[in-house]
Amino acid sequence: MYNFSFQNPTKLIFGEGQISKIASSIPKDKKVLVIYGGGSIKNNGVYDQVSAALAEHQWSEFGGIEPNPGFHTCLKALEQIKADGSEFLLAVGGGSVADATKFIAGAACFDGDPLTILTEGAKVRKALPLGVVLTLPATGSESNPNGVVTRYETQDKMPFYSRALYPQFAVLDPTVTYSLPEKQVANGIVDAFVHTIEQYLTFPVGADLQDRFAEGILRTLIDNGPKALSEPKNYNVRANVMWSATMALNGLIGLAVPQDWSTHFIGHELTALHGLDHGQTLAVVLPGMMEEKREQKREKLLQYAREVLAIEHGTENERIDRAIEETRAFFESLGVQTRLSDYGIGENDIPPMIEALKKHNMVALGEHQDVTPEVSAAVLKRCL
Amino acid sequence: MYNFSFQNPTKLIFGEGQISKIASSIPKDKKVLVIYGGGSIKNNGVYDQVSAALAEHQWSEFGGIEPNPGFHTCLKALEQIKADGSEFLLAVGGGSVADATKFIAGAACFDGDPLTILTEGAKVRKALPLGVVLTLPATGSESNPNGVVTRYETQDKMPFYSRALYPQFAVLDPTVTYSLPEKQVANGIVDAFVHTIEQYLTFPVGADLQDRFAEGILRTLIDNGPKALSEPKNYNVRANVMWSATMALNGLIGLAVPQDWSTHFIGHELTALHGLDHGQTLAVVLPGMMEEKREQKREKLLQYAREVLAIEHGTENERIDRAIEETRAFFESLGVQTRLSDYGIGENDIPPMIEALKKHNMVALGEHQDVTPEVSAAVLKRCL
């Protein structure tokens, strides 16, 4: 087990009908900017619940955050903050809205060009306070200090981080996910699953409890994922998915263990160059990564097979093969396809993706920093 | 799944050599009072590490907190705080020292008789800031807002709670537990195990991830507990035990699920009247409670048998019998005896314990509030 420090300040407010709690979670004297995406919250009742909760607050709104939030959209929100004098940001949406709101919160208090937060890793030392009303369980952004913003003109997906960007609170009401399109629910489940895998499927360091927690999230997603699609109004199923997605990336399961975010980083290029949904990219890349790194990850692959998938019989290689197959089958059972060819991407498309990885300095990924561009290319070939 | 809110502000600083971090965790301009127990920290190097870390702070010390911290001892510490002008309390010890320090921190800022915090549940609205250097993994007190203080003249163990009493930080260095007496290590493992059980072994509410997390803690304690005694300097083993004890009672696994603290409350009377260690009382009472409530807890007992103990075969009743037997055997494998008779307590001693429960208003315990004094008596008979 590695040494660590952990402190997650986000207050989690979980359950049906909890959106009303934002009234007491935001100081009454703060001007609020409500930030949201494409407007689905105006059809599913969430906007009305937020409006009702903010009845005694002074607030304005900014809509139009894209699924992969754009830097230029964030700049527009910054202008509105200045015009409105907003002092508290309320993200109402999924991970994209939360990510954008974090970036906006940091940029609003940043001296200098906010682009440098993304391009140079300029440090965000303070930020406007923010909260999240989550509508899509997936990224865990609602209770972590991370985000990703995209520059559309250069096709760059750029991560940022600052402790100042933890949301003060996150409201998780599983019933607001009932009306989500199946595809978004499925992508979210894949995202949470792969977040967990990236903090688990490396090499053993004797962190038993961390492993049990990660396995618990994976099992919960496998047990509940397909039901979330077939029984969309099953409260406990949606609640288990929502809670799992938050716990997958609130920092807890990554403590004390090595991490491997290579699947995410390779996936980012698939989104940037070919427009795949984030969850789709992960469902494609992960099985290929498992194959390519099966020797380095052998012990953990066998543990995953045994503890998560209850695969007990056969040789080691047979068990690993079956674990990879079952992982692929799980994604497919959610309707998320797992081959590049399913998305019309062929071998000739791999070199541009490798160039993009190089451009973004993603040349030494993985828990051993040995996922070089050559290895990434080999992974992508296995994904064809 | 029940609705919940969760926010745990304690910063956890985990790993070998981390005690030095208290230097940067306590403001340099605050006068510190270091609070500890019987003085073992002066023999095992912890006191020296704390002294070195506080080299640039102004600090004094208060020793002599008892294993079940006494109200009158806390009053003495309060006098010293006034005399020294202490502004930050640093608990260095196990759960007793942490509990006492919390009570002292609240009492120091309390208008009125601090005894009413215990006897009348008077609300603690503010407290001196405090931190913990943990030397014994067991109670979880290092990252929760609860405590228990004993009035020796009346033999009352009295719980208290306030959000103002969360430690600001807790340092968890597994190597400081190497020199603990076996008995303390074993009692701590039993305590953490039963904390987990009390938040798990009730009835199902569809909270899959909460169940997986609780099962993960139980399995980790079963896997590491005996090794913690046979290989006392195995870092990962001690680290897994320490982390499990913290996670068992930092609030996380109790979210969204029913809880049953009846074993703890009955155990408190065994300590008060017969002087058993807290861990010993739990090892005695839990198997009796499982037997007595096997019908109400049937589903969860079967789940516990399957998911924690891998008991797959036999009738339902056989599996439950075996689960109870294996629980008892686990405690015994740690050298903690599980029968009242092992401690010289017989059937005639039960009525006074029942009277004590009534006196403390512990007359409707358990997840269904139906553990009446009669049921508690039946439980204790099963423990003979």
Side-chain angles (χ1 to χ4, degrees):
Chain A
M1 280 177 71
Y2 302 160
N3 287 358
F4 62 83
S5 288
F6 182 60
Q7 184 178 38
N8 187 323
T10 303
K11 181 175 186 176
L12 300 169
I13 305 169
F14 192 98
E16 182 166 11
Q18 298 294 292
I19 291 176
S20 62
K21 295 271 174 73
I22 60 177
S24 54
S25 302
I26 305 173
K28 288 280 188 301
D29 59 345
K30 297 286 181 199
K31 284 188 189 173
V32 181
L33 182 65
V34 174
I35 299 176
Y36 56 92
S40 62
I41 61 164
K42 296 205 172 167
N43 301 321
N44 62 13
V46 172
Y47 182 88
D48 292 339
Q49 288 186 64
V50 169
S51 300
L54 293 178
E56 292 177 28
H57 286 80
Q58 202 181 332
W59 63 282
S60 53
E61 61 185 79
F62 180 89
I65 303 291
E66 307 90 337
N68 292 292
F71 174 67
H72 275 288
T73 309
C74 294
L75 291 185
K76 280 186 210 156
L78 277 173
E79 284 169 25
Q80 188 169 334
I81 287 170
K82 275 186 201 150
D84 294 352
S86 312
E87 303 162 285
F88 193 104
L89 306 185
L90 182 65
V92 182
S96 300
V97 174
D99 280 12
T101 301
K102 287 179 192 172
F103 181 75
I104 296 161
C109 301
F110 187 75
D111 290 330
D113 182 357
L115 183 60
T116 60
I117 297 169
L118 303 172
T119 54
E120 298 169 22
K123 198 155 184 176
V124 173
R125 294 180 197 281
K126 55 182 184 166
L128 291 180
L130 69 127
V132 178
V133 174
L134 191 68
T135 60
L136 172 61
T139 71
S141 185
E142 65 278 6
S143 74
N144 69 39
N146 312 311
V148 179
V149 160
T150 297
R151 269 185 96 189
Y152 282 98
E153 62 272 39
T154 55
Q155 298 292 4
D156 296 334
K157 284 191 85 163
M158 294 177 295
F160 60 94
Y161 156 89
S162 163
R163 276 203 68 85
L165 299 178
Y166 271 106
Q168 291 194 348
F169 64 83
V171 179
L172 310 170
D173 178 345
T175 68
V176 309
T177 74
Y178 289 171
S179 60
L180 285 170
E182 272 201 9
K183 187 181 171 186
Q184 287 189 26
V185 176
N187 279 332
I189 293 166
V190 173
D191 196 22
F193 190 91
V194 179
H195 285 158
T196 309
I197 287 280
E198 305 254 49
Q199 300 166 85
Y200 169 73
L201 200 70
T202 57
F203 54 88
V205 294
D208 293 2
L209 185 60
Q210 300 305 93
D211 282 357
R212 294 295 90 76
F213 278 7
E215 290 155 1
I217 296 173
L218 297 171
R219 282 185 56 192
T220 302
L221 289 169
I222 290 172
D223 291 345
N224 288 274
K227 274 187 247 170
L229 302 181
S230 62
E231 307 168 27
K233 295 195 177 179
N234 184 323
Y235 180 82
N236 281 337
V237 165
R238 288 292 174 114
N240 280 319
V241 167
M242 199 167 211
W243 187 228
S244 293
T246 296
M247 294 303 296
L249 203 54
N250 70 348
L252 180 68
I253 63 166
L255 302 171
V257 295
Q259 302 191 18
D260 164 19
W261 290 91
S262 54
T263 293
H264 264 77
F265 287 122
I266 297 172
H268 282 177
E269 308 305 346
L270 271 168
T271 297
L273 294 178
H274 297 280
L276 272 68
D277 298 337
H278 180 56
Q280 293 172 329
T281 73
L282 304 174
V284 166
V285 178
L286 181 64
M289 185 65 72
M290 286 171 156
E291 278 290 4
E292 183 63 25
K293 302 299 272 183
R294 69 189 285 150
E295 290 313 321
Q296 275 185 350
K297 292 181 185 292
R298 174 168 290 267
E299 274 192 78
K300 273 300 190 69
L301 277 166
L302 289 165
Q303 183 180 326
Y304 167 65
R306 183 179 70 246
E307 298 291 341
V308 177
L309 303 168
I311 298 169
E312 304 270 1
H313 303 295
T315 65
E316 283 191 6
N317 280 332
E318 284 166 357
R319 279 176 273 155
I320 292 172
D321 285 342
R322 208 174 132 205
I324 298 172
E325 269 167 45
E326 289 196 14
T327 305
R328 196 183 284 284
F330 169 60
F331 297 152
E332 301 269 358
S333 78
L334 301 171
V336 184
Q337 294 181 296
T338 61
R339 293 282 180 190
L340 286 172
S341 50
D342 295 323
Y343 302 92
I345 299 170
E347 191 156 5
N348 292 340
D349 298 310
I350 293 177
M353 287 193 269
I354 300 305
E355 288 312 305
L357 281 167
K358 286 184 190 166
K359 176 184 157 199
H360 296 134
N361 204 28
M362 298 295 171
V363 295
L365 302 173
E367 67 272 30
H368 301 288
Q369 294 85 52
D370 62 357
V371 179
T372 59
E374 293 70 34
V375 176
S376 295
V379 169
L380 286 166
K381 272 185 198 152
R382 292 182 185 274
C383 303
L384 285 169
Chain B
M1 280 177 71
Y2 302 160
N3 287 358
F4 63 82
S5 288
F6 182 61
Q7 183 178 39
N8 186 324
T10 303
K11 181 175 185 175
L12 299 169
I13 306 168
F14 192 99
E16 181 165 11
Q18 297 295 292
I19 291 176
S20 62
K21 295 272 174 72
I22 61 176
S24 53
S25 302
I26 305 173
K28 287 282 189 302
D29 59 346
K30 297 285 181 199
K31 284 188 188 174
V32 182
L33 181 66
V34 174
I35 298 176
Y36 56 92
S40 61
I41 63 165
K42 295 204 172 168
N43 301 322
N44 62 12
V46 173
Y47 182 87
D48 292 339
Q49 287 186 65
V50 169
S51 301
L54 293 178
E56 291 176 29
H57 285 80
Q58 202 182 330
W59 62 283
S60 53
E61 61 185 79
F62 179 90
I65 303 290
E66 307 89 337
N68 292 294
F71 174 68
H72 275 290
T73 309
C74 293
L75 291 185
K76 280 187 210 157
L78 277 174
E79 285 170 25
Q80 188 169 335
I81 286 169
K82 276 186 202 150
D84 294 353
S86 311
E87 301 163 286
F88 193 104
L89 306 186
L90 182 65
V92 183
S96 300
V97 175
D99 279 12
T101 301
K102 287 179 192 172
F103 181 75
I104 295 161
C109 300
F110 187 76
D111 290 329
D113 181 356
L115 183 60
T116 60
I117 298 169
L118 303 172
T119 53
E120 298 170 22
K123 199 154 183 180
V124 173
R125 293 179 196 281
K126 54 183 184 165
L128 291 180
L130 68 127
V132 178
V133 175
L134 190 68
T135 59
L136 172 61
T139 71
S141 184
E142 65 277 9
S143 74
N144 70 40
N146 312 312
V148 179
V149 160
T150 297
R151 269 184 95 188
Y152 281 98
E153 62 272 40
T154 55
Q155 297 292 6
D156 294 335
K157 285 191 85 163
M158 293 176 295
F160 59 94
Y161 156 88
S162 163
R163 275 203 68 86
L165 300 178
Y166 271 106
Q168 291 195 348
F169 63 83
V171 179
L172 310 170
D173 178 346
T175 68
V176 310
T177 74
Y178 289 171
S179 60
L180 285 170
E182 272 200 12
K183 187 181 173 186
Q184 288 188 25
V185 176
N187 279 331
I189 293 166
V190 173
D191 196 23
F193 190 90
V194 179
H195 286 158
T196 310
I197 286 279
E198 306 253 49
Q199 298 165 87
Y200 169 73
L201 200 70
T202 56
F203 54 88
V205 294
D208 293 3
L209 185 59
Q210 301 306 92
D211 281 357
R212 295 295 92 74
F213 279 7
E215 290 155 2
I217 296 173
L218 297 171
R219 282 185 57 192
T220 302
L221 289 169
I222 291 172
D223 292 345
N224 288 274
K227 274 188 249 173
L229 302 181
S230 62
E231 306 168 28
K233 295 196 177 178
N234 183 324
Y235 179 82
N236 281 337
V237 166
R238 289 294 173 112
N240 282 318
V241 167
M242 198 167 211
W243 187 227
S244 294
T246 296
M247 295 303 296
L249 203 54
N250 70 348
L252 180 68
I253 63 166
L255 302 171
V257 295
Q259 302 191 18
D260 164 20
W261 290 91
S262 54
T263 293
H264 264 76
F265 288 122
I266 296 173
H268 282 177
E269 307 306 345
L270 271 168
T271 298
L273 294 178
H274 297 279
L276 271 68
D277 298 339
H278 180 57
Q280 292 172 329
T281 73
L282 304 174
V284 167
V285 177
L286 180 65
M289 185 65 70
M290 287 171 156
E291 278 289 5
E292 183 63 24
K293 302 298 274 182
R294 70 188 286 150
E295 290 312 321
Q296 275 185 349
K297 292 180 185 292
R298 174 169 289 267
E299 274 193 78
K300 273 304 193 65
L301 277 165
L302 289 166
Q303 183 179 326
Y304 168 66
R306 182 180 70 247
E307 297 292 341
V308 177
L309 302 168
I311 298 170
E312 305 269 1
H313 302 296
T315 65
E316 282 192 8
N317 279 332
E318 284 166 357
R319 280 177 273 154
I320 291 173
D321 285 342
R322 208 173 130 204
I324 298 172
E325 268 167 43
E326 287 195 15
T327 305
R328 196 182 283 285
F330 170 59
F331 297 153
E332 300 268 358
S333 79
L334 301 171
V336 184
Q337 294 180 296
T338 60
R339 292 283 180 190
L340 285 171
S341 50
D342 294 325
Y343 302 92
I345 299 170
E347 193 157 3
N348 293 340
D349 298 309
I350 294 178
M353 287 192 269
I354 300 305
E355 288 313 305
L357 282 168
K358 287 184 191 166
K359 174 184 157 198
H360 296 133
N361 203 28
M362 296 297 170
V363 295
L365 302 173
E367 67 271 29
H368 300 288
Q369 295 85 50
D370 62 356
V371 179
T372 59
E374 294 69 35
V375 175
S376 293
V379 169
L380 286 166
K381 271 184 198 152
R382 292 182 185 274
C383 304
L384 286 168

